[in-house]
Amino acid sequence: MTDHFLRMVGMPGSPYSRKMRAVLRYRRVPHVWVHQGSPEARGLPQPRVALLPQLILRGPDGAPEAVPFLIANAEALQRGAARVECTVDGRRWVQQPFPYQGKCLRWLREGYAALAPDDRRAVDALLHGTGCERLFGGTVP
């Protein structure tokens, strides 16, 4: 589609999508706008509520590249750092820490920790080798 690794999938009439797009443009974050339900959105994760936008980081092979950012963001929040620095898709990524993403990672980790042992093994098997298993170590404030 393009060499931009950040895609924002949203509904054109959604106030949430419009606000997120405005933030991305204001901060000059290169991204691709993808309409929910369009051919370009096929195969992408679907939100629970269609009006909510999604930011999807993808590498050149189509694999999710949010893991390095989520981990670097959590570490920056823990340190009280003024900015997050990491490498995503071979490019340097720098921005202010994003507390909501820290909460999202914490919620993911809490959900994972709450799984029954058999369910956790099933999730571990699904994630094995994807790089996403790194999300479930450490703590987030």
Side-chain angles (χ1 to χ4, degrees), residues 31-113:
H31 66 283
V32 174
W33 166 251
V34 178
H35 288 250
Q36 179 89 17
S38 70
E40 292 84 12
R42 282 192 199 121
L44 296 177
Q46 297 298 308
R48 289 185 184 184
V49 179
L51 287 178
L52 296 179
Q54 295 176 271
L55 293 178
I56 300 175
L57 295 167
R58 297 278 178 182
D61 61 353
E65 290 288 340
V67 173
F69 169 75
L70 287 171
I71 291 171
N73 186 66
E75 291 169 353
L77 288 168
Q78 283 179 320
R79 291 190 318 269
R83 57 189 213 180
V84 177
E85 294 186 45
C86 65
T87 302
V88 177
D89 190 22
R91 300 177 192 170
R92 185 169 178 247
W93 184 266
V94 179
Q95 73 175 59
Q96 292 177 328
F98 193 20
Y100 183 75
Q101 288 296 327
K103 289 179 187 178
C104 291
L105 180 55
R106 188 182 68 224
W107 295 330
L108 281 172
R109 289 177 174 173
E110 288 170 355
Y112 177 80

Side-chain angles (χ1 to χ4, degrees), residues 8 10-23 33 50-53:
M8 190 190 125
M11 298 289 286
S14 164
Y16 309 107
S17 294
R18 289 195 315 258
K19 286 178 186 178
M20 182 59 69
R21 251 182 119 182
V23 167
W33 166 251
L51 287 178
L52 296 179

